[in-house]
Amino acid sequence: MGKIIAMANQKGGVGKTTTTINLAASLATLEKKVLVVDADPQANASSGLGIDIKQAKCTIYECIIDRVNVREAIHDTEIDTLKVISSHINLVGAEIEMLNLKNREKILKEVLAPVKEDFDYILIDCSPSLGLITINALTAADSVIIPVQAEYFALEGISKLLNTIKIIKSKLNPALEIEGFLLTMYDSRLRQANQIYDEVKHHFRELVFNTVIQRNVKLSEAPSYGLPTILYDAESAGAKNHITLAQELISRNN
């Protein structure tokens, strides 16, 4: 039975999509079957894994709104065991279209149910908001990874996200757990980055991943080639960090 993990933080620019792409590719490299669900209208996770979003006939939008068979929306990537359900700009309006639908918070859970057993991990890249699509992702998920940028305003807004998770646990998905807080864009030379790490560790203790994702040029270059960093430059710090993260995630789940 696969595990569904949502990548969530309503703060933009914290590395959600970068983490989704590279963690997924690293898990796949470690011989896990992985599906990335791009639930962000910007569709950066899709293009970062080489999907031509203009050519994609069937996306997560059609699965949610038209209830198209989810298997029709699954695309291959450069890595055999890594698949993607791409996003579409139409997803922006999906939240309004969903308002009148029955059980609107549980649609994504129903969409993913038929393929959950086909994969070891399903990673959902959420948009930087706490709207209905993100609520769907958290309702469908078994756990949530919260990327936290190693910068001054890092902890701002986390209480809001934790409150949302608490509400979803009590009303929609009692099994939802926090998989972990992941420190991203970390520069060990900066005293502030180390202070943020200590603060996050102090607040959330064993919920914080031991792995940190360092600032790395290759991480930002790779998506423009439609490749995860491990295929773009396997020796880069970004690729190595994500392999370590994947190994830590696997050992936590064993």
Side-chain angles (χ1 to χ4, degrees):
M1 189 66 152
K3 181 167 197 179
I4 301 179
I5 303 175
M7 296 282 170
N9 190 334
Q10 78 276 18
K11 194 172 185 293
V14 297
K16 278 190 299 293
T17 301
T18 303
T19 303
T20 305
I21 292 171
N22 291 294
L23 175 57
S26 300
L27 287 166
T29 307
L30 296 169
E31 300 182 342
K32 299 294 178 189
K33 290 181 187 164
V34 187
L35 173 66
V36 168
V37 178
D38 191 348
D40 183 348
Q42 294 175 69
N44 291 337
S46 309
S47 55
L49 286 167
I51 306 302
D52 183 348
I53 35 189
K54 292 188 181 75
Q55 299 298 318
K57 299 273 188 293
C58 187
T59 68
I60 194 65
Y61 172 81
E62 282 77 19
C63 295
I64 289 172
I65 301 300
D66 304 326
R67 290 307 181 96
V68 170
N69 184 335
V70 65
R71 292 181 201 280
E72 290 179 33
I74 295 176
H75 299 268
D76 294 330
T77 70
E78 296 272 334
I79 303 173
D80 286 346
T81 53
L82 174 58
K83 311 290 180 192
V84 186
I85 296 177
S86 68
S87 184
H88 194 279
I89 192 66
N90 287 354
L91 208 57
V92 169
E95 303 209 342
I96 296 159
E97 294 177 70
M98 289 164 78
L99 287 175
N100 299 321
L101 298 178
K102 198 170 153 225
N103 278 345
R104 60 182 183 225
E105 296 89 358
K106 297 184 176 175
I107 295 171
L108 187 57
K109 184 175 187 163
E110 291 163 14
V111 164
L112 296 176
V115 293
K116 191 173 180 184
E117 292 192 23
D118 299 351
F119 296 94
D120 298 307
Y121 292 96
I122 296 177
L123 304 185
I124 308 175
D125 185 31
C126 298
S127 66
S129 76
L130 291 177
L132 193 49
I133 302 283
T134 300
I135 287 168
N136 261 267
L138 293 170
T139 304
D142 299 301
S143 66
V144 53
I145 288 176
I146 303 169
V148 178
Q149 195 177 355
E151 289 189 0
Y152 182 64
F153 293 116
L155 296 175
E156 204 177 73
I158 282 188
S159 57
K160 202 171 171 187
L161 175 62
L162 293 177
N163 199 37
T164 303
I165 290 170
K166 197 169 152 191
I167 292 165
I168 287 168
K169 261 182 89 92
S170 67
K171 295 194 162 48
L172 295 164
N173 182 6
L176 182 64
E177 297 293 337
I178 292 174
E179 189 74 46
F181 291 84
L182 173 70
L183 221 70
T184 61
M185 305 180 196
Y186 181 77
D187 186 341
S188 57
R189 295 167 304 179
L190 299 178
R191 199 172 75 203
Q192 191 186 57
N194 294 305
Q195 284 172 342
I196 299 291
Y197 181 77
D198 292 342
E199 206 173 325
V200 173
K201 197 80 178 154
H202 173 72
H203 275 288
F204 303 111
R205 303 180 192 279
E206 70 281 354
L207 283 177
V208 183
F209 282 102
N210 294 323
T211 310
V212 295
I213 308 300
Q214 291 161 284
R215 275 200 182 279
N216 180 241
V217 176
K218 302 292 183 189
L219 275 180
S220 10
E221 286 177 359
S224 60
Y225 294 90
L227 291 171
T229 314
I230 200 161
L231 294 184
Y232 178 65
D233 183 352
E235 290 304 308
S236 66
K240 288 175 177 172
N241 288 166
H242 284 95
I243 278 284
T244 308
L245 175 64
Q247 288 166 332
E248 187 176 350
L249 181 67
I250 291 167
S251 69
R252 279 186 178 211
N253 283 285
N254 283 345

